[in-house]
Amino acid sequence: YLTPNPEVPSAMARIVEVAREAGAHLALATDPDADRLGLAAPAPDGTWRTFTGNQIAALVLAHGLERRGLAGRLSPRDYMIKTEVTTDLLRLQAEAAGIRCVGHLLVGFKYIGDVIASVKNTGGWRDLRADEENFVCAMEESHGVLTTAAIRDKDAAGGALWLAELASAEAAKGRTLWDRLYDLYRTHGVHGTALRSVIMEGSAGVQRIRAIQASLRADPPATVNGRKVLAYHDRQDPEGVFGPILSDTDRASRDVLVFSLEGGARLILRPSGTEPKNKSYLEMATPPLGPDASTADVEAALARLSTEAEALLDWWEVGLL
């Protein structure tokens, strides 16, 4: 699937090359309809690296909170929104700032738009009470961000502006966006995320995906690669957070299985809504490293989480096959 999508690091290769040659502080790119946002910047060692969608989301939220704080507009009624498969680092950032995180939404910006619309039209959403001006930002792990309640879909333009502002502020201190991200890891813990897709094409693939989901529902695993499953949630459960199934479309959107694992890991499985894939999302995190943690400490923790995540997903993928 060779698409011009900034989620794919290779799609960012040319813009990174141009930015490096120009001595730029960052490189930004979007897909053709300018809703997904890609970002790259020099790391502390001088090498250029691309950011994941989750890392972009953390930086966008950090800047949004700082902008409101500096303007004296940060309020306990403020809220940000994310989908369930998006990093939990955002929830920690929001809670530390004293605002609300709406964080268990299904995949798709339409669910984020529904929250924004409900707040505007009714003054709240479920137990959230807020006004339209209390919206800070919204994001999903697939490089989608939103910085204004005036739009009900992901929009790369607003996110790009905020990241450019943040990069400018960091550059004035002799720092890069990676330095800012590492500060978040020092404060809230290093969060490593990974995504694995098992491609299953054709009608046989559809049947296989359904069989996998049905099998896991019928007999959820007690352990995943040696980690005990501490909690399991089926988002199609009518007694769960989303209530009764409303339609076949609702059922398909809620075909999501969530496993909370020993050691603070979280594994989510769902079929893609647009491609012949079963997608596994994994997040692993450390405790906060503290302000004295060095860059080397942060990068060592990231490397360790990456190794552990890949091993767990290798085990999981073999189990699915």
Side-chain angles (χ1 to χ4, degrees):
Y1 304 105
L2 299 177
T3 58
N5 185 340
E7 290 183 81
V8 183
S10 60
M12 295 286 293
R14 179 58 180 154
I15 185 67
V16 169
E17 179 184 348
V18 171
R20 185 190 300 113
E21 292 173 353
H25 291 117
L26 77 166
L28 293 162
T30 76
D31 55 358
D33 58 346
D35 58 1
R36 299 183 193 274
L37 178 63
L39 171 68
D45 64 0
T47 62
W48 277 76
R49 302 179 196 168
T50 57
F51 292 76
T52 67
N54 283 313
Q55 290 170 334
I56 291 171
L59 290 171
V60 168
L61 176 58
H63 188 57
L65 293 171
E66 288 169 359
R67 290 173 89 250
R68 293 177 83 89
L70 289 172
R73 295 176 51 229
L74 200 59
S75 161
R77 285 172 60 87
D78 288 348
Y79 70 99
M80 52 77 55
I81 313 171
K82 75 178 189 70
T83 58
E84 184 164 45
V85 299
T86 304
T87 177
D88 198 50
L89 174 58
L90 305 180
R91 177 187 61 81
L92 297 175
Q93 291 175 252
E95 290 179 352
I99 73 166
R100 175 75 178 272
C101 171
V102 177
H104 66 278
L105 297 187
L106 297 170
V107 174
F109 238 85
K110 65 181 180 180
Y111 298 104
I112 291 173
D114 177 63
V115 175
I116 297 171
S118 178
V119 168
K120 179 178 180 179
N121 296 331
T122 71
W125 180 84
R126 299 196 175 183
D127 65 338
L128 171 69
R129 306 264 51 92
D131 297 317
E132 193 171 21
E133 61 267 22
N134 294 122
F135 174 79
V136 178
C137 55
M139 52 277 294
E140 61 181 3
E141 58 79 33
S142 54
H143 291 244
V145 301
L146 179 62
T147 60
T148 171
I151 302 174
R152 304 290 165 77
D153 201 355
K154 50 187 175 288
D155 173 56
L161 177 61
W162 280 18
L163 290 172
E165 289 177 347
L166 183 58
S168 178
E170 294 298 329
K173 306 172 190 174
R175 289 161 41 100
T176 74
L177 291 176
W178 287 103
D179 293 309
R180 185 68 184 88
L181 179 65
Y182 287 3
D183 283 348
L184 295 176
Y185 288 157
R186 291 182 178 96
T187 302
H188 303 293
V190 176
H191 284 64
T193 58
L195 170 65
R196 188 72 60 85
S197 297
V198 179
I199 298 174
M200 303 177 188
E201 297 182 309
S203 59
V206 172
Q207 294 303 317
R208 190 175 173 195
I209 289 173
R210 290 174 178 170
I212 288 170
Q213 299 293 100
S215 175
L216 288 170
R217 283 191 169 92
D219 187 21
T223 62
V224 174
N225 198 27
R227 292 174 180 260
K228 184 178 180 182
V229 175
L230 302 179
Y232 160 70
H233 301 285
D234 177 0
R235 295 310 185 202
Q236 288 185 348
D237 182 358
E239 302 299 323
V241 293
F242 297 115
I245 298 289
L246 302 179
S247 66
D248 287 343
T249 300
D250 186 41
R251 183 186 303 278
S253 298
R254 288 168 53 175
D255 193 2
V256 179
L257 306 177
V258 184
F259 303 88
S260 297
L261 309 180
E262 194 173 27
R266 185 177 58 139
L267 179 64
I268 300 175
L269 180 68
R270 59 175 284 270
S272 170
T274 57
E275 296 174 312
K277 299 176 180 179
N278 236 20
K279 304 180 77 169
S280 300
Y281 304 79
L282 177 65
E283 179 163 34
M284 308 176 79
T286 71
L289 299 186
D292 297 329
S294 67
T295 295
D297 292 334
V298 176
E299 294 191 336
L302 275 171
R304 177 178 60 80
L305 290 181
S306 176
T307 299
E308 292 179 1
E310 289 302 319
L312 191 150
L313 285 177
D314 284 343
W315 182 94
W316 181 249
E317 187 171 345
V318 169
L320 288 180
L321 294 174

